[in-house]
Amino acid sequence: MAKNIKFTEDLIDFLHESPTAFQAVRNIKAALLRKGFKQLHRGESWNLEKGGRYFTTKNSTSVIAFIVGTGELETEGFRIIAAHTDSPSLKLKPQPLMTSAGNYIKLNVETYGGAILSTWLDRPLSVAGRVALRSKNPYRPEVKSLNIKKPVLIIPNLAIHLNRDINENKSFNKQKDMMPIAGLVKGKLEDNDYLLNLIAQNLKADKNDILDFDLNLYETEKGSIIGVNQEFISAGRIDDLSMVHAGVAALFDSETGKATNVMVAFDNEEVGSMTKQGAASPFVKDVLKRISWAQSKHRDAFYRAKIASFGISADNAHAVHPNFPEKHDAVSQPVINGGPVIKYNADQKYTSDALSSATFAMLCEKAGVPMQKYVNRSDIKGGSTLGSILSTQLDIRMVDTGNPMLAMHSIRELAGAEDHLYIKKVFDEFYKS
């Protein structure tokens, strides 16, 4: 139990320090460097050695880390775990400053991904992401990471006395209901530009040098371990940073084997992955090709290595909800702390099939970890994830899996502390098999 709690506490720290994909990858990068991984820049030549530990990034929101295997790449292939760094949130628009009702300062936002909007109301919020600053080279703006580590925004509910049907099928207008307030106007509005002043103050930069930004809102309260027996994790961004955390930890703990072990954390899964840093991009394929070219003299090494490879698409799954069991399939009802879940879909929204699922089931057996299965009710359309999208770029055997959780896409999600250790054990087994 002590080991489980320590691993869970480490996850909660990671979630808290990673309010956006930019901070997540920055933290992963720092951990990789501490563990002796060498950073590779995509615009430079790569000199890779067997047993070497390397990583590369894209857009500062996606990262691929790998340990070059000692065996022949054509016969040993790649062992790939893929997860994603982004989560549903509210994103600042380019010109966010607004006023309302005389003297309230509001920020204009839009939704990123499929957030449960009601959970964003009445919570202390802050802002994080990246900022682009003026530089001498217009093609290389200066970029700085930003995390305003204090509550500066809130989206207040309308009092029930003014909205008597608030508890009866309330819907939310994204343009009207979800605008956070930042403060009160004092004097001229341009003298009260709280956002730019906050950015400049935090970055120690000239406000006039701020050209643009990619900034998202997040809840400032740290996650916690809850439950009578400390069995639950309550935190934001469990989907999918918990899988990133477990995958990176497994890569750190893995010994150099014959196969090349790869950990991929993509951005933009929550909005379809169709970006240069998403799973639908050639990012991972390009990296694997470069590994192949560096490790083999055979022109067809990459194509042969794909046949020997296996991938785990790691994205969280739906646990059966205790208040809404009717929303789930009559038979496949995963429970929290019941072990990782294999996800199936006849329309191929998930990449799992009988063969890849059998492989994952045997990995769970070898790791001594229980395993569950999930499929949607036939009359409810489910979501999709990385597996099938990644398969359009990398046609290898792959399974879609993840830990069961409740309140997916809420500002504060709920998962199992024991499950997090379970998935880490399976990942450990995967990298050594």
Side-chain angles (χ1 to χ4, degrees), residues 342 344 355-367 369 371 373 399 426:
I342 299 175
Y344 300 84
L355 300 184
S356 63
S357 299
T359 295
F360 188 79
M362 288 186 283
L363 289 171
C364 290
E365 288 176 359
K366 292 182 70 175
V369 166
M371 181 270 294
K373 297 183 178 182
V399 64
V426 180

Side-chain angles (χ1 to χ4, degrees), residues 25 37 103 107 118 138 157 174 196 240 307 312 325 330 338 396 404:
V25 170
F37 282 70
N103 65 344
L107 295 183
S118 62
N157 251 306
K174 295 177 182 179
L196 287 183
D240 189 38
I307 306 303
I312 296 176
I396 65 172

Side-chain angles (χ1 to χ4, degrees), residues 23 232 304 330 409 415 430:
Q23 281 73 39
F232 299 125
R304 293 165 62 189
H409 291 192
F430 176 61

Side-chain angles (χ1 to χ4, degrees), residues 60-72:
S60 299
T61 56
S62 293
V63 58
I64 299 175
F66 57 94
I67 302 174
V68 179
T70 58
E72 294 297 321

